[in-house]
Amino acid sequence: MFSALFQSLYLKIAGIFLFLFILTGGVYIYFTLFMSEMYVQEATQKISFPIAQHIVNKINPLSENHVNLETLKPIFDGATMLNPGIEIYLLNPVGMILASSVPSQKLERPVVSLDPIKKALDLEEKEFILGDDPLGNNKEKVFSVAPIKYKDLVEGYIYVILRGEEYDSTMRMIYDSHYLKLGTRAFFVTLVLAVLTALIVLRLMMGKLKRTTAVVKSFESGAYDDRIPVKSNDELDQLAKAFNSMADTIVSHMDEIKNADALRRELVANVSHDLRTPLASMQGYVETLLLKKNALTEEQQKKYLEIILNSTQRLSALVEELFTFSKLDTNQIKPKYEPFALTELVHDIVQKFQQQADQSKIRLRGVFPKDLPFVYADIGMIERVLQNLIDNALRYTPEIGVVTVELVQEGNQVRVNISDTGEGIAKEDLPHIFERFYRGQKGKARTAGGSGLGLAITKKIIESHQARISVQSTIDAGTVFSFQIPLAKSI
């Protein structure tokens, strides 16, 4: 039971707090009393140190190296009467007690050490020094001392214990006093209140921590919308903000993973369909050639082989586009920037597609200034973009239509516009035309020979050049694709 109880972080911290408060309080009380006692002793010694010298000045306790008890006793009695807390001792030069103001049967130490005495007499400024207490074997007390000289020789010492037995009894009475007990109780009450305050504050903090823990457990169980409420900006709330941000990131990544999985499934379905059609065609014509080789004329065989070749080329183009898109999507292909003449590139590409345009009875033209400066981009990737867009425009433009490639200098950039007078793109399809394998208008792109990857590859290439491609289209009026390339001299 106790082991389970102390698994609580609150109880652990509360126990540590309580222990530290009690330990601190006990150490504080001990050191307060100890330091007060030391201060009183030091002050007593500094104030009362001349007492011994005063006694020496008033009397001559030694007469020809003998104790003069008749002179000494009245002085001892008078001094102890005025200050009952002191004890007076007459010492010989080696520290032996010759006479005292206390009964001899009370003495437990016949000899007093001279080291503290000599140290006290040698110091110009009196320090706090403790000496032997003749009434206690192992006790040391503050004292006053003065040498007794006879013909300039030290014949003994007046040794005064400034806080004697009677003083100790009085101090014990003071320690047992009502006010000291009252002060001690007040201190303990203050200590208890401080402990309670600390526990309340700790409880409030632990409340925040418990709420945080509850939300984390809830998130772990699948409640991905739960967040920790934040009301201030302390350390726990900063932790809550960090968790909320992390949770948002995790949910975002989960959505991306779901979308990626959906796209993967769509990719597999589309690729399967696009691969199945040419493969089925190739298989059918190959089987026909094998089964009816002798019955087919040379012209028929040639026709079948051309169909197989076209299907093979289509498969090869689809696989190449899949690899290209995959590499662009994972940033495996980086642009290799270089300056080049965009007008020459456009002119060559237009000439390349001219035969296809003539066969479709479409007018293909390039419109650009002759003095256009060099641009700075990857010439191979820009060529791929232009080919994709021109091929797409020719495929969707009817006979007697026009496809135009226009170059316009705009400040430090060149805008490329590929426009056509084709059937246009439906408004609901425009936001999706750059998605891979997206086919609007009931799959017309597939019947027109498209793979559904051309525009997706185009967008990836433009974005890899830190640019963007835009499209404007009107049904039965045509479509315009636009993007910009920086001039080489502006880099």
Side-chain angles (χ1 to χ4, degrees), residues 372-389:
L372 190 69
F374 279 22
V375 296
Y376 191 71
D378 187 314
I379 185 171
M381 298 177 80
I382 296 301
E383 180 180 7
R384 179 68 176 271
V385 168
L386 292 171
Q387 289 177 350
N388 286 349
L389 293 176

Side-chain angles (χ1 to χ4, degrees), residues 88-312:
I88 306 172
Y89 299 91
L90 175 62
L91 309 180
N92 69 5
V94 296
M96 183 176 292
I97 299 174
L98 301 178
S100 68
S101 63
V102 297
S104 58
Q105 60 269 21
K106 289 187 177 183
L107 296 178
E108 295 185 10
R109 191 195 302 260
V111 178
V112 175
S113 173
L114 294 182
D115 290 338
I117 293 174
K118 291 180 179 179
K119 183 177 179 182
L121 293 173
D122 289 341
L123 293 174
E124 293 182 2
E125 294 185 5
K126 303 306 178 185
E127 293 183 359
F128 177 47
I129 302 173
L130 297 177
D132 291 344
D133 180 12
L135 301 185
N137 285 326
N138 298 316
K139 292 182 180 179
E140 289 186 330
K141 291 187 176 181
V142 290
F143 64 92
S144 171
V145 67
I148 302 171
K149 294 183 179 181
Y150 182 76
K151 296 181 180 181
D152 295 330
L153 296 176
V154 176
E155 298 294 340
Y157 302 93
I158 289 295
Y159 182 71
V160 181
I161 296 297
L162 299 174
R163 301 181 64 181
E165 268 191 326
E166 191 167 342
Y167 181 88
D168 291 341
S169 299
T170 305
M171 288 303 297
R172 282 194 292 271
M173 291 175 61
I174 293 174
Y175 284 138
D176 292 335
S177 70
H178 169 73
Y179 290 103
L180 186 60
K181 292 180 179 179
L182 186 63
T184 304
R185 290 171 185 169
F187 174 79
F188 277 109
V189 170
T190 304
L191 184 63
V192 170
L193 291 176
V195 171
L196 291 176
T197 303
L199 293 178
I200 292 172
V201 173
L202 179 61
R203 186 70 178 181
L204 295 175
M205 294 172 59
M206 295 304 297
K208 282 187 175 182
L209 194 57
K210 284 184 176 181
R211 288 193 294 272
T212 300
T213 305
V215 173
V216 172
K217 288 183 176 179
S218 175
F219 188 87
E220 182 185 16
S221 301
Y224 300 121
D225 294 331
D226 285 357
R227 296 295 181 270
I228 303 171
V230 178
K231 298 181 180 179
S232 62
N233 197 34
D234 58 20
E235 286 77 3
L236 289 176
D237 283 325
Q238 290 178 10
L239 175 63
K241 289 180 180 178
F243 172 81
N244 291 342
S245 176
M246 180 191 69
D248 292 339
T249 303
I250 292 173
V251 171
S252 175
H253 288 173
M254 291 174 62
D255 291 338
E256 290 178 2
I257 292 172
K258 289 179 181 178
N259 292 334
D261 185 63
L263 289 173
R264 180 186 61 80
R265 294 174 184 273
E266 181 183 358
L267 172 64
V268 172
N270 287 312
V271 169
S272 299
H273 185 281
D274 288 338
L275 291 176
R276 188 184 301 114
T277 301
L279 284 173
S281 175
M282 291 167 59
Q283 182 181 354
Y285 282 106
V286 169
E287 289 175 351
T288 301
L289 285 172
L290 290 174
L291 293 174
K292 301 180 179 181
K293 180 179 180 181
N294 298 326
L296 297 173
T297 64
E298 184 176 343
E299 184 179 350
Q300 289 176 323
Q301 292 182 17
K302 182 180 178 182
K303 180 181 178 181
Y304 289 170
L305 289 173
E306 286 177 351
I307 294 174
I308 293 171
L309 178 61
N310 289 335
S311 297
T312 304

Side-chain angles (χ1 to χ4, degrees), residues 312-327:
T312 304
Q313 290 173 343
R314 183 180 173 187
L315 277 176
S316 177
L318 176 60
V319 171
E320 193 274 334
E321 285 190 334
L322 282 171
F323 275 114
T324 300
F325 181 81
S326 176
K327 290 180 179 179

